[in-house]
Structures are given as C-alpha cells and as structure tokens.
Amino acid sequence: GYSYGTYLGAVYTQLFPKRSDRIVLDSAVDPARIWRGMIQIWAEGTEPAFTRWTEWTAERDSTYKLGRTPEAVRKTFYDLVARADRKPIELDGMKLNGDEVRSFGRATFFSLRDAAEWVVQLKNAAAGRPTSGERADRTPSQAPPSFARAVPADNGTAGFWSVVCADTRNWPRDPEQYRSDAIRDKAKWPLYGDFVSNIMPCAFWKKNGSEPATKVDNKVGALILQNEWDSQTPLASGQGLRRVMKGSKMVTVLGGVGHGIYGSKSCADKTATAYLTTGKLPAKDATCKAAPAARERVV
C-alpha cells in the first residue's frame, strides 16, 4: 500500500489480521489522524522543511543570491509573499497572489534545489526580469494534456474530498471553529497553517454519507517505509502508524525526499524486497541514508 493505500492496508490488518501476510506500507498515513489531522500535518511538516531550505540556500548565496543567512532567505521569501499580495506576480503565465505563492511553495520546499530555483524565478518575475524554465512544483492538477481532455478538471479534487469526507464522521460542523483554528494555526505554522485548518467541504457532508473511522491498534507484522522529508505524509505520520501497528517495523530514509519510496532506487528497497521474498521482518526499526543527490531534489 502506498500513500492512501497505507491507510487501506492498516485498516485491512485491523479487520482481517489472519489474512494479512506480507504487508509493505510505503509513505504512511497516521490512522489516528484521519482525515482533518492528516491535512493539518502538511503545515506541521512544512515548517521544518522550510527552515531546512533556508539554511541550505543561505549556504549557497553565491549561486542563488536569496540571502546570506537563513533569516535573510526567509525574509526574501516573505517579502515576495507581501509583494504578491499588493500586486500579483506573473510567472509561467499565471498571476500569483501571496496566498498562491505560499500554496505553491509548500510542497516545493521539501526539495531543496527545486525550491531555490523556483524562488529565484519568482524574485526575477517580481522585479520584471526574464525568467526561464518550468515552475519547480509538480501538483496532481498539472496532468498531461491528453489526460486533461479525458476527464473534468476538478476530477482529482472531487475524488479527494469524496474520500476524506466519507472515511470518517470526525469533521467539525461549526464554521466558527474552522475560523478560529485557521487563525491559531497560521500563527503556529505561518507558511500553510491557515490553509489546512480553514473550512473544508466535509463540514457540509451529510452524516449518512460517512462512517466512523476504523481504529487501528494491532500486532500484525508489516513493514513501514518512510522518507524523512515527505511533503504529503510527513515523518510524524509514519511514526504515528508505527505506534499503533505494534507488530510492524519501520525503515526511515534519513535525508530522503519525496512521496513514495519502494522501486525508486532508495536505500530502503533492499530491506523491503528481502521481506517480500522471505516473509521475515527486520529484527528492529532501522534507518538508512539517502544518496547525497537525492537529498536536494525530488527524483
């Protein structure tokens, strides 16, 4: 199971423990946080990723010229956010306001080099200088043209909300709670906190269209794979799954960037393949280190 499939896999082990054989859960969802908490964890995971990026970029000021210190790099970015709020910045044919800059930047900051190149382009565009290259972020909505013609543009968004609203009834119904949570969480996680705690379609989803989330708490054997810098299921969510699946073992890829591990020539591949072919889990949780190049850019 990969991504959302890790939640499906975890629920399967809970419902059918005697039918669970060799289970690999790759880039894991924390089943205790379904689903509002897993959306909010995007903001929690983004702040340390952004801090890490400012440190990396400051060390390479001669290349990117975004600031000589992490504080200066941070200021450069938030100055661009403020600039976009006053007047949208046009980049790659899109006019971005400050909220859109923060939104596009969120996942990008997990990929150090991609983020630096993107902010340089944004800075050049704000100053009226020519930009080159594609935007660094890659989102599900940026599908190939042939696919885009085959389905409505909002297909992925509609599918996402249908899943997360129906998987659990644990969604607040009071708009005021979303408002106050968004204010609180923007203060805690400035880059993305207000986005993930603001009101969601699930607040208006009919109760009879959903069911209580399955509580996962078992000792079924499974192998969890987790990158340290995963923008969609941050490290804390993988650790959350490991806590409730007490019979599992977890391989953490230190310095690993991106969502999805197995088959990507990760240092975790060998352990996962050994488990799948022999059925034998590692004796204990393990870590391995991503290759240096893989720590800077999503591969």
Side-chain angles (χ1 to χ4, degrees):
Y2 155 70
S3 192
Y4 178 59
T6 65
Y7 177 60
L8 299 182
V11 169
Y12 185 91
T13 65
Q14 188 69 30
L15 299 178
F16 310 107
K18 294 182 179 179
R19 293 183 177 271
S20 300
D21 184 18
R22 301 175 192 183
I23 308 288
V24 175
L25 304 175
D26 182 343
S27 305
V29 166
D30 182 351
R33 300 188 65 162
I34 302 302
W35 273 109
R36 191 177 186 225
M38 274 305 303
I39 294 173
Q40 289 171 320
I41 207 171
W42 292 344
E44 298 172 37
T46 296
E47 287 301 323
F50 179 65
T51 297
R52 169 177 172 257
W53 173 76
T54 63
E55 294 167 351
W56 183 91
T57 304
E59 292 173 355
R60 292 159 179 79
D61 181 61
S62 60
T63 300
Y64 300 109
K65 296 179 173 55
L66 295 175
R68 296 181 180 180
T69 66
E71 294 75 16
V73 174
R74 182 182 294 268
K75 183 177 185 303
T76 295
F77 176 73
Y78 277 107
D79 283 350
L80 287 169
V81 171
R83 160 69 170 77
D85 274 334
R86 294 191 301 271
K87 180 181 179 182
I89 300 171
E90 185 169 350
L91 180 64
D92 296 329
M94 298 178 65
K95 290 186 176 181
L96 306 177
N97 62 29
D99 285 348
E100 289 166 328
V101 169
R102 289 192 292 128
S103 180
F104 279 124
R106 186 200 71 80
T108 308
F109 285 120
F110 286 80
S111 184
L112 299 168
R113 196 175 299 277
D114 286 342
E117 292 171 357
W118 179 69
V119 175
V120 167
Q121 291 183 42
L122 193 67
K123 183 181 177 184
N124 287 339
R129 293 191 292 269
T131 62
S132 61
E134 296 181 331
R135 194 169 63 246
D137 65 289
R138 298 286 183 268
T139 65
S141 62
Q142 294 171 298
S146 59
F147 179 78
R149 286 195 298 270
V151 298
D154 65 351
N155 189 68
T157 301
F160 175 82
W161 289 114
S162 295
V163 168
V164 302
C165 295
D167 267 357
T168 176
R169 291 177 179 164
N170 189 26
W171 284 96
R173 311 294 285 185
D174 182 4
E176 176 58 27
Q177 180 174 342
Y178 289 94
R179 189 188 77 85
S180 60
D181 287 354
I183 293 170
R184 176 199 66 199
D185 289 345
K186 185 175 184 181
K188 291 169 66 176
W189 303 299
L191 189 60
Y192 211 64
D194 50 336
F195 287 106
V196 294
S197 291
N198 214 325
I199 199 157
M200 307 288 180
C202 307
F204 310 101
W205 196 268
K206 293 180 179 179
K207 288 283 189 179
N208 60 7
S210 60
E211 62 182 45
T214 300
K215 182 179 180 181
V216 176
D217 183 12
N218 62 57
K219 296 182 180 179
V220 174
L223 182 66
I224 300 168
L225 308 180
Q226 186 67 43
N227 274 329
E228 182 180 12
W229 299 105
D230 182 332
S231 63
Q232 303 306 304
T233 53
L235 179 59
S237 66
Q239 293 168 336
L241 179 60
R242 173 67 182 88
R243 280 193 297 273
V244 297
M245 293 193 66
K246 300 173 179 63
S248 67
K249 295 294 183 287
M250 181 169 167
V251 179
T252 303
V253 182
L254 297 178
V257 176
H259 187 54
I261 295 175
Y262 190 54
S264 65
K265 298 182 180 179
S266 165
C267 59
D269 282 6
K270 184 177 180 180
T271 302
T273 298
Y275 168 57
L276 288 171
T277 53
T278 68
K280 186 177 180 180
L281 278 169
K284 58 183 180 180
D285 292 344
T287 60
C288 64
K289 291 185 178 180
R295 300 174 196 172
E296 297 182 357
R297 195 189 293 271
V298 173
V299 293

